[in-house]
Amino acid sequence: MLRFSATFLFAATCLLVSTGVSALRVTTCGPHIHRLSCETGVINVQSAIYGRTNADTCSGGKAEGEVANTECSLQDAPDTLKSRCNGKKVCEVDTTVFSADPCSDTFKYVETNYTCVPATHLIACEHSLAHLECDDNQVILVHGADFGRHDKTTCSYGRPDARLQNVRCSNPTSKVADTCNGKNKCTMRASQSVFGDSCEGTCKYLELAYTCQNK
Ligand SMILES: *[C@@H]1O[C@H](CO)[C@@H](O)[C@H](O)[C@H]1NC(C)=O
């Protein structure tokens, strides 16, 4: 019995390792923190809902009227989550990131299906250069980039506390993809002159992820 379990476990582990991608799902009821994270690799959002598409999800303790509308979903919610979270190892949002409330009388949830994909994950502190580089016959494919601050510790050495407090400084950018996709090497400067300043007074950093594709 013990031997059977061990063998099974081993086989299951191999399967996970060989595919390298596992599907994950997070459901958050109401306007609370929605957290996606990857232990290995980076986040790649597959699909997402902000609203309600069935009566069961997040229905505990709710009145019938709050869960009756099951045709409510914000159309650009998947794009919002992709631009905010793709390419990161950890991504926390709440419903304030969405462009609108798709059905104000309904008790809503946020649900995201995502995978963790293997990629090179880079962080360049403000005023540093991020060097993206592939082998000779390969080209860069950017999976996401953000110039901002999401915690108090990254790129904090010797910085005044006051400039590390705003951890909701998010500025997803397509500039890295626009500049680097299809190239073999690419350098991006993590600076306000390139990405603009979405949160004045905060020390920022450029977080990005990319893979190398065969030409
Ligand atoms: C996530 O995947 C599950 C299982 O395939 C599916 O039932 C669910 O509707 C998906 N959720 C979203 C937000 O796409």
Side-chain angles (χ1 to χ4, degrees):
M1 184 60 198
L2 197 65
R3 181 182 297 180
F4 172 76
S5 310
T7 309
F8 178 73
L9 198 68
F10 178 69
T13 307
C14 285
L15 198 66
L16 272 178
V17 169
S18 67
T19 58
V21 173
S22 51
L24 298 160
R25 174 160 35 144
V26 174
T27 307
T28 305
C29 306
H32 300 291
I33 297 177
H34 188 64
R35 185 181 208 266
L36 314 181
S37 71
C38 287
E39 256 173 54
T40 57
V42 299
I43 296 162
N44 188 239
V45 172
Q46 307 291 304
S47 60
I49 287 169
Y50 170 44
R52 171 168 295 281
T53 58
N54 72 68
D56 293 336
T57 304
C58 300
S59 61
K62 297 296 153 195
E64 216 172 287
E66 290 178 285
V67 300
N69 176 3
T70 57
E71 288 179 3
C72 167
S73 74
L74 183 67
Q75 208 185 340
D76 64 3
D79 288 341
T80 300
L81 284 165
K82 282 177 192 174
S83 73
R84 287 231 167 207
C85 298
N86 280 2
K88 291 183 181 158
K89 289 190 154 295
V90 176
C91 184
E92 291 189 356
V93 299
D94 64 17
T95 55
T96 62
V97 305
F98 295 115
S99 60
D101 179 341
C103 45
S104 56
D105 293 338
T106 297
F107 184 74
K108 296 172 284 293
Y109 51 86
V110 181
E111 182 169 287
T112 304
N113 285 324
Y114 67 102
T115 55
C116 294
V117 297
T120 303
H121 179 248
L122 268 186
I123 292 180
C125 301
E126 192 167 355
H127 308 300
S128 296
L129 302 174
H131 298 288
L132 292 70
E133 204 167 332
C134 293
D135 285 345
D136 278 347
N137 49 359
Q138 295 193 315
V139 293
I140 294 162
L141 178 66
V142 175
H143 292 272
D146 192 319
F147 182 64
R149 169 165 296 281
H150 304 94
D151 61 54
K152 291 183 184 173
T153 54
T154 304
C155 297
S156 64
Y157 184 81
R159 299 302 98 187
D161 257 8
R163 301 189 61 195
L164 306 172
Q165 299 304 308
N166 181 3
V167 296
R168 300 186 50 157
C169 170
S170 193
N171 180 25
T173 175
S174 60
K175 271 192 184 159
V176 180
D178 294 345
T179 310
C180 300
N181 278 357
K183 292 186 182 161
N184 173 253
K185 284 188 180 61
C186 185
T187 298
M188 293 299 298
R189 189 180 164 84
S191 81
Q192 296 182 14
S193 61
V194 178
F195 299 103
D197 188 5
S198 52
C199 15
E200 211 185 324
T202 296
C203 293
K204 292 172 276 291
Y205 49 86
L206 176 65
E207 177 173 11
L208 63 86
Y210 70 98
T211 49
C212 291
Q213 314 278 312
N214 290 328
K215 268 190 202 157

